[in-house]
Amino acid sequence: MNTTFDVIVVGGGHAGIEAAHAAARMGSRTLLLTLDENKVASMPCNPSVGGLGKGHIVFEVSALGGLMPKLCSKTYLQARMLNTSKGPAVQGLRLQIDKYAYNKLAVEMLQQTPNLTIISAMTMAILWEEIVVSAHPEHVEGRPVGVEERGQSEQKRRITGVRIADGTEYHAPAVVVTTGTFMRGLVHVGRTRYRAGRRGEDAVYGLSDTIAQAMEAPLGRLKTGTPPRLVRESLDFSQFERQESDPLDFLYEFDPVKAEEKIPCLIAYTNEKTHEIISSNLHLSALYSGNIKGTGPRYCPSIEDKVGRYPDRPSHHIFIEPEGADSNEIYPAGLSTSLPLEVQLAYIRSIKGMENAEIAKCGYAIEYDFIQPTHLTHTLEAKMVKGLFLAGQINGTTGYEEAAGQGILAGINAALLAAGKEPFVLSRQESYIGVMVDDLVTLGADEPYRMFTSRAERRLVLRQDNVFLRLMPHARALGMIDDVLWQKFLDEKSVIEASVRHAHAHGTQSELFKALHSVVFTADQQAIARALLVEKLSADGLPVAALSSRALLSVHAQVKYAGYLEKELIEVDKAVRYQQLIIPASFDYAALPGLSNELQSKLRHYGPKNIAQAQLIPGMTPAAISILIFQLRMCAEPLSCEL
């Protein structure tokens, strides 16, 4: 049996399969170690992918050649575009997924991936060796450190492999750890608690200690949860509101697709009786009894947390979502809980349409170990351990999408390291994945991190519609995109550029410009714009009629927001040029004219080392950053500072 590989990936969740798929796709001999090969890419919580901010990440995984978008296209049940009343930068695609079909297809696609070996086993420890670090901080093991390797001069150790439960050791120069909620996982239902990585699966003990020891990083505890699953036949669907799907001709993949609703989703509401039952039993909740030590997600609270925090709210939404096309279980999104089973049943039956509800599986909370991501570089490699990469919930994030975005980045960099090539870094100026990683490795995580469009300073530039224009050239250079898809991309790029040029060339009073400049680019306005573009550009032989609505939205955004985009790109260039501008430890923020007391206090508290870190401070404004850059540039000249 072969025990030597180029890349080893530990964990078969959404981060793990992206890492393994990416590394294998790039030619690395890759081993995926997971507890059960048949449970890869499971969806233990919400059976959906995407949403505001999260959907942007999935599009970026698609542009980089990842697996999640391919799985979504073939297993979705319903498609909706959120925030359509607002501009294209803050809209978000969300797909309801058949979780069982998704898992089955993921297994099949991974098994068919060249260079990939999958073994069902529990990983107990990572293996490493000490390395010789040059006394010169700009050298590691006697060689110069490049710009992309900043932070790696701290490395003291080199990863050599992993050890599984039966004592077998597998060796590789790069290991990606994506353990989800399994590291010392502890499930809570009321006052009952037991060890588990998730429902029905063993927790992993010992692995987190070896990682923390190698990285010289403390372990933290986080918490997440899931609602009970309800028996479909026990619900009265006539009492629920229907949540309509949207007529879309694109999903997350590059190629157009006509989206159709296969199974509807519905909406129910809690009421005062529901809240009364929950309030009178809060002392039985693991969250309120003090049994849970981990910090839970701020933006996905349990139902008892909502009732406890907002006692004046008479009602909360519940989204009634199918778990699969052929599944008899319903997922009531919004009812995540750690209350005892009998209390779960009581408050559920107080909800209109659920009076006779039966629980198929009880809801629970789970807490688990994570590593503070400030101990990682922007490639998701450990600062102290060469070749060790972490991705997903082990880095303090929550959500399948955030995990997939980290997984593909870690997998790419693991393959590059194994091949002796330069690392790949995504900046926050060019991607939401870059925003997420920069947030994590710079600010760390004190609660489960979730992506929102508001986290991106340049969200007008980082839209869903232009994601392939932004990132697919990277994927091509990395070997993640084949010739056929690359040619399709080049053809679409040519049509988009020609359409934008034509719209601007014919002036603001032209019929085409007016159609593209609409406040909300509706289906009717898209049809008008498409017809006009076909009429104007068909003579040039450009396949305008074949453009998906996503590509047409890109034309619309580039025309409507041209002036704003130009300013944004100037700001992006400025940020790139000045982000490494050093802020002296002794810098006096009180002396900065025009800087509020609040921002002065925050700057002193966080003590940023450079402009890039200062930009990440919550509440920091572009105006304040400009003042800071100006003053720092002045201080570069001693005479100017004296003035």
Side-chain angles (χ1 to χ4, degrees):
M1 182 178 63
N2 180 34
T3 58
T4 302
F5 295 85
D6 298 320
V7 175
I8 297 173
V9 178
V10 177
H14 299 276
I17 67 167
E18 292 295 346
H21 176 261
R25 186 75 182 269
M26 292 171 64
S28 293
R29 291 174 297 114
T30 305
L31 171 63
L32 174 59
L33 291 169
T34 182
L35 289 177
D36 187 342
E37 177 181 352
N38 295 312
K39 291 184 178 180
V40 299
S42 292
M43 293 186 171
C45 199
N46 201 323
S48 68
V49 170
L52 304 179
K54 288 172 169 282
H56 288 71
I57 291 178
V58 184
F59 270 109
E60 292 180 356
V61 171
S62 181
L64 291 171
L67 201 53
M68 177 176 274
K70 298 179 176 67
L71 296 171
C72 286
S73 293
K74 295 177 176 62
T75 63
Y76 78 94
L77 298 174
Q78 186 196 58
R80 297 183 65 235
M81 186 64 72
L82 310 183
N83 252 9
T84 52
S85 63
K86 298 182 180 180
V90 292
Q91 295 177 12
L93 178 63
R94 182 184 187 274
L95 302 183
Q96 191 66 27
I97 300 294
D98 183 328
K99 62 186 285 185
Y100 302 105
Y102 190 99
N103 158 244
K104 182 180 178 182
L105 183 60
V107 172
E108 292 174 1
M109 293 185 73
L110 288 171
Q111 289 175 339
Q112 295 167 9
T113 300
N115 304 314
L116 179 59
T117 300
I118 308 174
I119 295 178
S120 296
M122 180 181 288
T123 303
M124 302 302 294
I126 61 167
L127 307 174
W128 71 87
E129 63 185 11
E130 301 293 327
I131 62 176
V132 178
V133 180
S134 169
H136 197 291
E138 295 181 356
H139 291 75
V140 175
E141 297 178 289
R143 64 180 178 81
V145 173
V147 174
E148 296 85 354
E149 297 178 282
R150 55 184 177 273
Q152 292 187 356
S153 58
E154 301 176 41
Q155 290 175 334
K156 296 181 178 180
R157 304 174 183 93
R158 177 195 294 115
I159 200 78
T160 59
V162 301
R163 182 188 303 115
I164 64 173
D166 68 5
T168 303
E169 294 184 355
Y170 294 96
H171 299 281
V175 172
V176 184
V177 180
T178 67
T179 47
T181 60
F182 281 80
M183 292 201 307
R184 291 201 297 181
L186 191 62
V187 164
H188 297 263
V189 181
R191 292 177 176 173
T192 301
R193 55 183 179 177
Y194 56 91
R195 295 180 176 185
R198 60 186 175 215
R199 191 194 314 270
E201 297 185 67
D202 292 334
V204 178
Y205 277 71
L207 178 59
S208 54
D209 292 324
T210 68
I211 295 171
Q213 181 183 356
M215 292 178 59
E216 298 183 15
L219 292 171
R221 295 286 278 178
L222 293 177
K223 167 257 177 187
T224 188
T226 190
R229 305 308 196 266
L230 308 179
V231 177
R232 183 190 295 268
E233 287 81 4
S234 68
L235 305 181
D236 183 357
F237 288 87
S238 67
Q239 300 299 312
F240 305 142
E241 293 179 13
R242 187 182 177 97
Q243 190 177 40
E244 297 294 336
S245 61
D246 293 320
L248 301 173
D249 70 352
F250 67 93
L251 297 178
Y252 291 117
E253 289 195 271
F254 180 87
D255 291 328
V257 59
K258 184 176 175 58
E260 58 184 54
E261 181 177 270
K262 300 170 186 177
I263 296 181
C265 296
L266 304 114
I267 303 175
Y269 299 90
T270 61
N271 53 56
E272 291 182 355
K273 183 178 179 181
T274 312
H275 297 185
E276 181 183 346
I277 294 171
I278 293 170
S279 296
S280 62
N281 288 282
L282 280 179
H283 63 287
L284 299 177
S285 166
L287 185 65
Y288 281 78
S289 67
N291 284 343
I292 292 179
K293 306 302 180 186
T295 305
R298 178 194 304 262
Y299 304 104
C300 189
S302 65
I303 185 61
E304 56 262 39
D305 212 10
K306 289 187 221 177
V307 171
R309 285 187 198 174
Y310 310 108
D312 298 331
R313 287 281 298 273
S315 178
H316 294 285
H317 285 79
I318 307 166
F319 298 95
I320 310 300
E321 301 173 341
E323 295 245 282
D326 301 318
S327 172
N328 195 41
E329 294 181 4
I330 294 295
Y331 182 96
L335 291 182
S336 174
T337 184
S338 63
L339 284 162
L341 177 58
E342 62 273 15
V343 180
Q344 294 182 32
L345 186 59
Y347 75 66
I348 284 170
R349 287 184 172 177
S350 71
I351 297 168
K352 186 176 181 181
M354 299 186 185
E355 292 86 353
N356 299 308
E358 295 293 341
I359 293 178
K361 296 171 183 173
C362 71
Y364 64 88
I366 183 169
E367 54 181 334
Y368 53 92
D369 286 346
F370 84 106
I371 301 289
Q372 191 58 248
T374 51
H375 292 269
L376 304 175
T377 70
H378 283 76
T379 65
L380 297 180
E381 185 182 13
K383 290 179 178 178
M384 288 290 185
V385 189
K386 180 179 177 64
L388 175 61
F389 297 84
L390 308 184
Q393 285 174 286
I394 191 173
N395 289 339
T397 60
T398 182
Y400 313 137
E401 304 85 355
E402 289 87 347
Q406 294 171 74
I408 194 168
L409 182 65
I412 287 170
N413 277 299
L416 291 172
L417 184 144
K421 297 180 180 179
E422 287 294 307
F424 174 61
V425 175
L426 283 170
S427 76
R428 66 186 301 120
Q429 314 296 337
E430 64 179 332
S431 68
Y432 273 88
I433 294 176
V435 170
M436 171 176 60
V437 171
D438 200 32
D439 284 350
L440 291 171
V441 305
T442 305
L443 296 179
D446 55 8
E447 62 184 32
Y449 178 98
R450 179 178 180 176
M451 178 52 70
F452 295 101
T453 55
S454 59
R455 292 190 187 274
E457 299 86 351
R458 310 299 173 200
R459 59 185 179 180
L460 188 58
V461 176
L462 307 181
R463 307 184 309 276
Q464 292 181 145
D465 58 79
N466 71 348
V467 64
F468 298 102
L469 295 172
R470 286 187 280 118
L471 299 183
M472 194 168 273
H474 287 314
R476 178 64 172 178
L478 291 164
M480 295 285 287
I481 299 296
D482 61 31
D483 293 341
V484 174
L485 182 54
W486 180 244
Q487 189 57 54
K488 289 180 181 179
F489 164 76
L490 293 177
D491 292 342
E492 180 177 284
K493 182 172 181 286
S494 296
V495 179
I496 291 174
E497 290 173 348
S499 299
V500 173
R501 284 197 304 269
H502 185 86
H504 285 303
H506 287 72
T508 59
Q509 298 306 309
S510 70
E511 195 175 355
L512 175 61
F513 188 91
K514 290 178 180 178
L516 289 169
H517 207 264
S518 57
V519 175
V520 179
F521 203 42
T522 63
D524 290 341
Q525 290 162 329
Q526 289 181 31
I528 293 171
R530 187 188 301 276
L532 289 169
L533 285 170
V534 169
E535 176 189 341
K536 305 297 184 184
L537 299 178
S538 57
D540 298 328
L542 295 172
V544 182
L547 282 184
S548 68
S549 294
R550 171 190 50 75
L552 201 58
L553 278 167
S554 190
V555 177
H556 157 68
Q558 290 188 51
V559 171
K560 178 173 176 58
Y561 301 106
Y564 297 103
L565 285 168
E566 185 177 351
K567 291 179 181 178
E568 283 284 271
L569 292 173
I570 291 172
E571 289 300 315
V572 167
D573 179 65
K574 183 193 297 183
V576 170
R577 282 188 289 123
Y578 294 123
Q579 64 181 350
Q580 295 307 317
L581 191 60
I582 301 298
I583 303 176
S586 59
F587 191 82
D588 183 9
Y589 296 107
L592 283 179
L595 199 64
S596 69
N597 291 334
E598 178 188 0
L599 290 182
Q600 289 179 28
S601 176
K602 286 185 174 183
L603 285 163
R604 284 192 294 269
H605 172 71
Y606 285 101
K609 297 178 181 178
N610 53 39
I611 290 296
Q613 292 183 9
Q615 288 174 316
L616 297 180
I617 296 174
M620 189 59 60
T621 65
I625 292 296
S626 294
I627 292 171
L628 191 54
I629 289 173
F630 176 78
Q631 191 63 31
L632 288 170
R633 291 182 67 199
M634 289 283 288
C635 287
E637 298 291 337
L639 290 177
S640 299
C641 282
E642 291 175 6
L643 295 175

